[in-house]
Amino acid sequence: MGINLNPFTWWNGATWGTIIGLSGKTRVGEDTLGNVYYEGGKDTAGNPRRWVIYDGPNDSSRIAPEWFSWLHHQVDDVPERALPAPRAWQKPAVPNLTGTALAYRPPGALEKGGHRAAATGDYEAWTPEP
């Protein structure tokens, strides 16, 4: 969006106040989507405060699952050290694609032409017995 809107819009990324507030905090890692994670200070319960600076629009679905658990204090250490290595069958995290050209469109959706396969006739509606 540019430097002119940054001081006024929080939905486009970190504002100047957030960037200044992170001075003195420790950068602990970065995920595959480019988000950067910080830790520093304590909250009222004595837990360390944790932040994410999004690489792009502020959208919580853009946080990888392993970093989500770190942000919410489900694991104590950064995911690389606290969690086991990903399994071979696990897919990488993707953000919510609703509203984009890559969103899922089922057969028959208007965006895919609005035509769906004809019914096969194997459906029998339920009717209550008298």
Side-chain angles (χ1 to χ4, degrees):
M1 274 288 168
I3 196 164
N4 294 334
L5 287 178
N6 189 281
F8 310 108
T9 58
W10 57 265
W11 54 87
N12 293 325
T15 61
W16 289 108
T18 304
I19 293 169
I20 292 168
L22 287 175
S23 64
K25 309 300 186 236
T26 305
R27 179 183 170 158
V28 295
E30 185 174 332
D31 66 12
T32 56
L33 297 172
N35 302 322
V36 181
Y37 298 89
Y38 292 89
E39 185 174 50
K42 300 276 184 195
D43 65 10
T44 56
N47 297 320
R49 288 194 183 269
R50 295 173 175 175
W51 291 269
V52 59
I53 302 299
Y54 296 99
D55 180 29
N58 293 342
D59 179 8
S60 61
S61 74
R62 299 182 68 245
I63 297 176
E66 60 273 9
W67 282 101
F68 178 91
S69 47
W70 177 82
L71 275 174
H72 292 87
H73 299 280
Q74 295 171 347
V75 295
D76 291 329
D77 207 354
V78 293
E80 288 84 19
R81 293 189 297 259
L83 299 176
R87 307 285 178 124
W89 45 264
Q90 286 179 303
K91 293 184 178 182
V94 294
N96 184 350
L97 300 174
T98 302
T100 69
L102 299 174
Y104 172 71
R105 310 264 195 265
L110 294 177
E111 294 87 355
K112 289 183 86 174
H115 302 290
R116 56 179 202 159
T120 59
D122 60 352
Y123 175 77
E124 182 180 331
W126 177 82
T127 53
E129 295 185 19

